[in-house]
Amino acid sequence: MKNRGVLLLIALFAALQLLAGALCGGKEEKLDMTVVNEVVQSALAQWDDLQDGADFEAPLRAQGVAYTILDEDGQALYSSRDAEAEALKEGGSEKGRTALTLHEAIAARDTIVDLDAQMPSKGKVIFHNDLSGLRKRERMNLFFLFLGISFAELALGVGYYCYIRRKIFLPFYKLRDFAVRVAGGDLDFPLQMDRENVFGPFTESFDLMREELKAARIKEQEADRSKKELVAKLSHDIKTPVASIQAVSELMEATAQDAGEREKLAVIRKKAEQIDGMISDLFHATLEELQELSVTTAEYGSDRLCSMLGAADYLKRALIPEAPACMLVFDPLRLQQVFDNIFSNSYKYADTQIRVSFAFTEDALKIEIGDFGPGVSEEELPRLTQKYYRGAGAQKKSGAGLGLYIADYLISRMGGRLLCRNTENGFCTEIFLKLA
């Protein structure tokens, strides 16, 4: 591309020179020497008659040629046109004026020829040149030369601007837009590579930098997400043994006979409650930053459900029947978390026995977990699975309003669904697990 630009400049300069030569080097009208010789010979042959005032018989070849015959004293004997009348007609202007004396002929740059080279004093012939026409042609030539040079300069300027714009400005604008996108965090926008412009080497380097930044950001996000998921999982796993400690301490406190023992057990129970609250806060904060928890589903037998429900019922208030044999799709870790949240809500808000039942639907196994409490109002039922929503009966209880929200979210990620409803006996939560 660089060689092509140089060749273009050379071609433009060559065209300019040719234009100047064509305008300034055109043919000039030259005096025909044959006509000159015929006029001179005719004047010599008719010299005596001219001096006597007779008419001059001009040769045929001399028609249309302006000339004047002078005697030895410089007086005009004959002119091919009426010089005085022509001069008066033009008002004495330079255009069309014919020289009548040698001085005028010299000033007008006319051609002067002696009638007889051997006898210079015999007379002369002045062949008149069109000085006004010559000057007019020179002015026109200069005008067209200036016009051609201006056009060539304009073309060179426009061509140079287009070249600079395409090779420098546009690539620079692309680099600028690319830098703005990268600064704004858009690392998916590739930078087109063009090795022919001046920024070609930088283009490739900038795009490699974008790819490295994108890879580093992805790794950072994955590492941060892994740490948060680890904190969330550990928080969930710790809650179960803490809840067991809390339940056992409450039972021992209720059955202890010694006042000192009851006081110590009360301290253990309160500390367990405090630890459970802090773990809940940690889990909820991590969940908010994560926005979602990973769910990995697989096919499992329904025989695992009884042990998971028994682990969630740490107060042993539920009678859990055998689950019908089938293959289900779920994540054991996340399903255990769902059961824990449902049982925990039942302990907290109903504080009654818990009933569990199984039933098949068209494409799922339904698990009903219900209590014998007062339930919730029909207006509140659709909002129970919303984040941070707490019903009117939960205002005096500790919690963040995330239990059923988390449970609904995890079940939906497993391909199932969660429903809440009131029954004749109390509040009931239905979990639908997809059949394998």
Side-chain angles (χ1 to χ4, degrees):
M1 291 300 294
K2 294 181 179 179
N3 295 332
R4 192 180 303 173
V6 173
L7 291 176
L8 178 61
L9 291 176
I10 294 175
L12 287 174
F13 278 117
L16 180 61
Q17 291 182 354
L18 290 176
L19 177 63
L23 292 175
C24 296
K27 287 186 176 182
E28 295 183 0
E29 296 182 1
K30 296 183 178 180
L31 193 59
D32 191 347
M33 295 307 299
T34 302
V35 175
V36 172
N37 290 332
E38 288 186 1
V39 171
V40 170
Q41 294 301 323
S42 296
L44 289 175
Q46 303 175 49
W47 184 253
D48 293 335
D49 296 335
L50 285 172
Q51 287 184 326
D52 293 338
D55 292 334
F56 177 67
E57 295 182 3
L60 295 177
R61 289 178 179 270
Q63 291 182 1
V65 178
Y67 58 91
T68 301
I69 301 175
L70 303 178
D71 60 11
E72 61 272 15
D73 295 327
Q75 298 299 318
L77 299 178
Y78 173 80
S79 177
S80 62
R81 58 185 178 178
D82 191 350
E84 294 181 357
E86 186 71 20
L88 291 173
K89 179 179 178 182
E90 299 295 335
S93 64
E94 184 182 26
K95 179 180 180 182
R97 168 168 284 189
T98 304
L100 300 178
T101 65
L102 286 176
H103 294 291
E104 292 176 345
I106 293 172
R109 300 180 183 178
D110 292 337
T111 301
I112 303 173
V113 179
D114 292 327
L115 286 175
D116 189 354
Q118 304 297 330
M119 299 175 64
S121 61
K122 190 169 186 177
K124 300 180 184 297
V125 180
I126 302 174
F127 290 92
H128 303 291
N129 297 322
D130 188 4
L131 183 59
S132 62
L134 180 62
R135 290 180 177 176
K136 181 178 180 181
R137 287 194 297 272
E138 289 179 350
R139 286 195 295 269
M140 290 298 295
N141 288 341
L142 288 176
F143 171 75
F144 284 113
L145 177 61
F146 175 76
L147 185 63
I149 292 175
S150 300
F151 178 76
E153 289 179 346
L154 179 62
L156 285 173
V158 172
Y160 183 70
Y161 171 76
C162 293
Y163 176 81
I164 293 298
R165 176 178 173 79
R166 188 164 67 91
K167 294 295 181 180
I168 297 180
F169 291 161
L170 292 180
F172 179 77
Y173 292 154
K174 288 182 180 179
L175 285 176
R176 182 191 62 184
D177 295 340
F178 173 79
V180 172
R181 284 177 174 269
V182 171
D186 184 4
L187 299 179
D188 296 322
F189 181 74
L191 182 62
Q192 296 180 353
M193 299 183 185
D194 186 1
R195 298 179 183 274
E196 294 184 357
N197 62 57
V198 295
F199 297 102
F202 299 100
T203 302
E204 185 175 3
S205 300
F206 273 60
D207 199 60
L208 290 175
M209 177 190 68
R210 176 193 64 81
E211 292 180 355
E212 292 297 327
L213 286 174
K214 182 179 179 181
R217 174 171 292 184
I218 291 175
K219 291 180 180 178
E220 180 183 0
Q221 291 175 348
E222 290 178 351
D224 186 58
R225 182 183 181 83
S226 297
K227 289 187 291 186
K228 290 176 180 179
E229 287 185 352
L230 178 62
V231 172
K233 291 177 181 178
L234 290 177
S235 300
H236 168 267
D237 293 339
I238 295 173
K239 283 181 67 68
T240 300
V242 171
S244 300
I245 295 173
Q246 184 179 356
V248 172
S249 62
E250 288 179 357
L251 179 60
M252 294 179 65
E253 183 182 2
T255 59
Q257 299 297 328
D258 185 24
E261 290 182 2
R262 287 197 300 271
E263 183 178 351
K264 293 177 182 178
L265 290 170
V267 172
I268 294 174
R269 178 179 53 80
K270 291 180 181 179
K271 293 299 180 183
E273 292 176 355
Q274 184 179 2
I275 294 173
D276 183 70
M278 290 188 292
I279 293 174
S280 297
D281 293 340
L282 177 62
F283 175 74
H284 295 154
T286 307
L287 182 65
E288 281 299 295
E289 293 181 2
L290 265 177
Q291 295 183 352
E292 61 180 41
L293 293 173
S294 62
V295 177
T296 305
T297 60
E299 295 182 3
Y300 298 95
S302 58
D303 55 336
R304 303 188 59 169
L305 297 178
C306 294
S307 60
M308 296 172 66
L309 290 167
D313 183 26
Y314 57 86
L315 293 182
K316 306 305 177 184
R317 292 183 177 180
L319 179 60
I320 303 173
E322 290 292 330
C326 60
M327 295 297 295
L328 303 171
V329 178
F330 60 87
D331 182 342
L333 176 63
R334 298 309 180 193
L335 185 58
Q336 182 67 65
Q337 185 175 342
V338 171
F339 290 155
D340 289 346
N341 284 331
I342 293 174
F343 274 85
S344 177
N345 284 343
S346 180
Y347 293 159
K348 183 186 302 183
Y349 301 118
D351 195 20
T352 64
Q353 296 295 314
I354 298 174
R355 64 185 187 278
V356 178
S357 63
F358 301 96
F360 283 111
T361 62
E362 183 177 355
D363 59 348
L365 176 66
K366 180 176 69 172
I367 307 171
E368 288 190 5
I369 303 175
D371 56 43
F372 297 92
V376 298
S377 65
E378 294 297 328
E379 293 79 9
E380 292 179 334
L381 277 176
R383 304 176 61 186
L384 291 180
T385 55
Q386 294 181 3
K387 186 187 294 186
Y388 301 126
Y389 179 77
R390 305 188 71 202
Q395 300 302 320
K396 297 180 180 181
K397 305 288 184 179
S398 62
L402 288 171
L404 287 178
Y405 164 75
I406 296 173
D408 179 66
Y409 170 79
L410 294 178
I411 289 297
S412 64
R413 290 292 301 272
M414 297 181 208
R417 63 187 186 277
L418 183 143
L419 297 177
C420 297
R421 65 185 180 90
N422 288 317
T423 66
E424 296 178 356
N425 298 320
F427 181 76
C428 178
T429 303
E430 295 180 347
I431 300 171
F432 296 84
L433 295 179
K434 187 170 64 173
L435 295 173

